[in-house]
Structures are given as structure tokens and as C-alpha cells.
Amino acid sequence: MPSVLDQQRSAPPVGAVRPAPPRRRTRVLALPEARWALAALVLFLLALPVHLLGGPAWLWGTLFAATYVTGGWEPGWEGCKALKDKTLDVDLLMVVAALGAAAIGQVLDGALLIVIFATSGALEAVATARTADSVRGLLDLAPATATRVLSDGTEETVDTEHLAVGDTIRVRPGERVGADGRVLDGVSDVDQATITGEPLPVAKQAGDEVFAGTVNGVGALRVRIERDPSDSVIARIVKMVEEASETKAPTQLFIERIEQRYSIGMVIATLAVFAVPLALGSTLSSALLRAMTFMIVASPCAVVLSTMPPLLSAIANAGRRGVLAKSAVVMERLGQIDTVALDKTGTLTEGTPRVTDLCPLPGSGLDQDTLLTLAASAEHPSEHPLARAVVAAAHERGLPLSHAEGFTSSPGQGVTATVDGHSLT
């Protein structure tokens, strides 16, 4: 069986050659929108029981006022800036509706509206941050430094961004390849699942292509860079994810086209709902309550907030699981799929090999347990996925493993070891 160990080398400690990239995840409270929304929610929850139980007005009034300020100042400011550019923003409409509710004595309802709207803005900010996290996670696949081999044979550690086409780098056991290139010499297995999706490491030797961000086995490789680090496969993937996050789905484009006209129409209708009953003899309080209720119900904010945040969340969620969406358009169309056609074998797997059958050769004198014990003992020093599958199968059967002596490995060919006096290849 192939192994990630270099030819004629002893095995290192298991797990020493597959360093996981650091996981970057934005904390929710690191986002200002989330902090303001949380503050508004806490203040609202403090004011609510005081108001409902008939507590002093100055206390619940102060708490509700603080709720308006903490949850409404940011969307109100954004709305005012949009108004300065002669556009009507739904943020401003919601703040106006909340203030209108307070003006007619419905302080609780206005505060609740502010909390709901601030929370929705925080959720959108979290979705956007998660998308950025998925991009940074991809960037973590590429190492920050590489070992460059100079013309006189000496080595120096440089930032990967300073590498140039034609440079030669040395990739030691367990390191990530610093840039796309071609192997000059050395033999090893390279785990390139993050780029190609292949579940098993690929044997590499002189003349083979390697990609930035892939994990080298225990064999040392000398690689000539053939592509600028800024144009590597991983860099293009990152760019594609960033571009996908900036694209807009057809639904969002449609809403943006009608949002401005709809908002203006809603303001006109609100003024009509307020002015007409007032002109016909309705009281000011009743007319204002009716107008504010209409504005809240007819506001397009719910429709606007129901488009891009879910798509951003879907793109980020897919990116964290290794699925890259080319655009928001593609992500939206996925919801319309009812049939999937798969090429090649037509199967979906986890990419984790398992032992399914044991077939001792006739005349070998071995039964299944003995065969598996010998094979697992020989493969135990290796960390190749196939080797791990064999060892896992032995553990599942409760078979004791013996020490492997003289263990060597040839990438792409298999292992050689002596187990309990048996020479295994």
C-alpha cells in the first residue's frame, strides 16, 4: 500500500505531518452591530417587567429611551446618509415608525420594533462576517513562509508573497507547499484534497505538478515555482469566493429595483392614511396611530432582509465545508434543484477508505484475522489513509498488533517491514 513516508525512511510520530491551519472565526460580540443589538435587547428586557407591573414611569421611560438610542442610532444614521444622497432607506423608515409609535404613547411597541430591527441588522452583519471567515480560512491553507534555495545551495526563509517564478523552494516533511510549481527532485506523497478534492494523497516525483497549500508527506521535495503566488490555484479560489460574496441574486436585484419606488409610495400612502381620516374629523391620536401602524406593516424591510443575508450565510457555510459557490445566482438556483446527476461511478462517498473484505490466498496458511494482524502491524507506523483503514479494521476486531521492524516505505508502491519473523511487502 502507498504511504506518505519518504523512501527508505523511518516513520515519525503519527500525526506529525498534517498540521491543521488555524481556524479563524469572528466572535459575534466583536461586531459593533451585534453589541448594539445586545445592549438594546438587555435594556428592553429590563424595562418590560417594570412597565408591565406598573413601575415608576421615569424608570421604564429611561430604559425604553436607552433602548431607542442603542438600537436605533446606527440604522438612523445610515438612513440619514442615504437621505442626503436623495434615496429613501428602509432603516430610516423603521426608526421614524418607532419614534412615531412613541409619540402616540406606544413606547413599548416602538422599542420592540427597534429591538427587532437592530437584531436583524446584527444577523446580517454576522452572516457577512462568516463569509469573510470562510475566505480567511482558505487563505490559511497557503503558508506564510517558504524555504527558498539560492544558486549557491544555501537556504533562506522568505515570505511566500516574495517568491517569484523560477525560484526553487524546498518543501520539508509535513510542510505546506508555498507556491504552485513542479517537482525537480524528491519523492513523497502530497495531500491535495483541499485543492482537487482527492481523498487520498498523491505520489509526487520529479516532473509532477504541486499546488500551494497542499500538505507534503515525509519525503523532502525540491520545487521550481511556475506560477506567481498571487496567481496560484488557492489564490484564484479565494478570489472566486470573494467575488461570489459580492454578487447579487436575481431576487435581490429585483427588490433593489422596486425598493426605492415602493418606499416612496409607502411614505405617500402613510401620509394619506394620516391626513384623510384627520380631515374627515378623526382625532390626531387615532389618525397618527393608524398611520404608524400602516407604515410598520407595509415597510419593505422584512423583504429586503430576507434576500442577501440568507445567501451570504449559505455561501459562508458552504465555504467552511469545502464547497465553493461561483456566485449568489448559483446559490439561489440550488434551491430549485430537484434532480442531481453524478458522473463516473455515480456514487457519493465520505472520502474515507474502509476495509470491506479480507481474502487470504489459497495455500498461504493464513486466516482472515492473522492476515489482518500482520498487515495492520506492518502499516501501523504509516499514516497513509489506506494504512489507517487497515489498522482501524484490526482495532475493530480487537486484534493485538506486533512491533514492525525494518519499516521502510516507497511512495506510490507500498511498505516493507518484518513482523513476528514474517517479511512483509
Side-chain angles (χ1 to χ4, degrees):
M1 295 180 185
S3 168
V4 295
L5 301 178
D6 192 16
Q7 189 169 14
Q8 302 301 317
R9 290 181 58 106
S10 298
V14 175
V17 300
R18 289 182 184 271
R23 186 175 180 82
R24 301 179 183 179
R25 187 177 178 87
T26 301
R27 294 185 299 108
V28 173
L29 292 182
L31 302 172
E33 296 88 349
R35 293 198 298 269
W36 287 116
L38 179 61
L41 177 61
V42 170
L43 290 169
F44 177 81
L45 293 177
L46 291 174
L48 183 61
V50 179
H51 180 268
L52 295 178
L53 296 176
W58 64 267
L59 178 57
W60 57 258
T62 301
L63 291 173
F64 277 137
T67 302
Y68 278 74
V69 173
T70 54
W73 80 267
E74 193 169 28
W77 177 250
E78 293 298 324
C80 290
K81 290 195 295 184
L83 195 61
K84 183 180 179 181
D85 296 331
K86 298 181 180 180
T87 59
L88 195 57
D89 194 277
V90 294
D91 294 350
L92 185 60
L93 294 180
M94 281 295 94
V95 173
V96 170
L99 294 176
I104 59 176
Q106 304 297 323
V107 181
L108 173 60
D109 297 335
L112 180 59
L113 180 62
I114 286 292
V115 169
I116 293 174
F117 200 67
T119 302
S120 66
L123 292 176
E124 183 176 4
V126 170
T128 303
R130 291 292 184 257
T131 304
D133 288 342
S134 67
V135 174
R136 285 196 297 269
L138 291 171
L139 288 172
D140 284 334
L141 294 177
T145 61
T147 301
R148 181 164 56 189
V149 181
L150 303 180
S151 56
D152 59 359
T154 59
E155 300 178 356
E156 63 176 356
T157 301
V158 298
D159 293 338
T160 52
E161 60 186 19
H162 295 153
L163 296 174
V165 176
D167 284 350
T168 300
I169 61 174
R170 188 179 303 282
V171 186
R172 291 187 169 82
E175 292 183 344
R176 291 183 178 270
V177 180
D180 292 358
R182 198 165 297 276
V183 178
L184 293 178
D185 57 62
V187 179
S188 184
D189 286 341
V190 176
D191 183 355
Q192 52 189 34
T194 53
I195 302 297
T196 65
E198 297 173 88
L200 300 179
V202 179
K204 299 291 183 179
Q205 57 185 357
D208 291 337
E209 186 178 16
V210 291
F211 305 106
T214 56
V215 182
N216 183 29
V218 184
L221 298 175
R222 200 161 60 92
V223 178
R224 174 178 287 126
I225 298 174
E226 295 186 340
R227 192 177 293 119
D228 189 271
S230 62
D231 191 41
S232 66
V233 173
I234 189 64
R236 293 201 298 270
I237 291 175
V238 170
K239 183 178 180 180
M240 184 178 70
V241 174
E242 290 176 334
E243 291 175 348
S245 303
E246 296 171 358
T247 57
K248 297 180 179 180
T251 302
Q252 184 185 11
L253 293 173
F254 171 75
I255 290 176
E256 289 182 354
R257 284 198 301 268
I258 68 171
E259 177 187 356
Q260 192 62 209
R261 296 176 183 177
Y262 181 87
S263 298
I264 294 174
M266 191 193 69
V267 171
I268 296 174
T270 301
L271 294 175
V273 171
F274 170 73
V276 172
L278 190 64
L280 295 177
S282 179
T283 63
L284 176 63
S285 176
S286 176
L288 189 57
L289 176 60
R290 187 180 295 107
M292 290 300 100
T293 302
F294 175 82
M295 175 179 284
I296 294 171
V297 173
S299 174
C301 67
V303 178
V304 173
L305 292 173
S306 67
T307 53
M308 199 55 193
L311 287 173
L312 286 175
S313 297
I315 293 174
N317 194 33
R320 288 195 298 272
R321 286 163 172 77
V323 180
L324 304 178
K326 295 180 66 175
S327 67
V329 177
V330 174
M331 185 60 68
E332 186 178 57
R333 288 179 179 173
L334 283 176
Q336 304 170 4
I337 292 177
D338 56 11
T339 304
V340 178
L342 304 175
D343 64 353
K344 296 184 180 179
T345 60
T347 60
L348 286 176
T349 68
E350 297 177 356
T352 303
R354 294 185 177 89
V355 174
T356 59
D357 296 288
L358 292 167
C359 303
L361 293 177
S364 64
L366 301 176
D367 57 20
Q368 291 188 354
D369 286 351
T370 304
L371 174 62
L372 183 57
T373 300
L374 292 174
S377 299
E379 292 284 8
H380 187 263
S382 174
E383 63 159 28
H384 192 278
L386 294 180
R388 291 199 295 268
V390 173
V391 175
H395 287 325
E396 290 175 0
R397 295 195 178 200
L399 302 177
L401 302 185
S402 302
H403 176 67
E405 299 178 352
F407 176 88
T408 58
S409 173
S410 299
Q413 297 182 17
V415 300
T416 300
T418 299
V419 179
D420 294 336
H422 298 278
S423 180
L424 306 177
T425 301

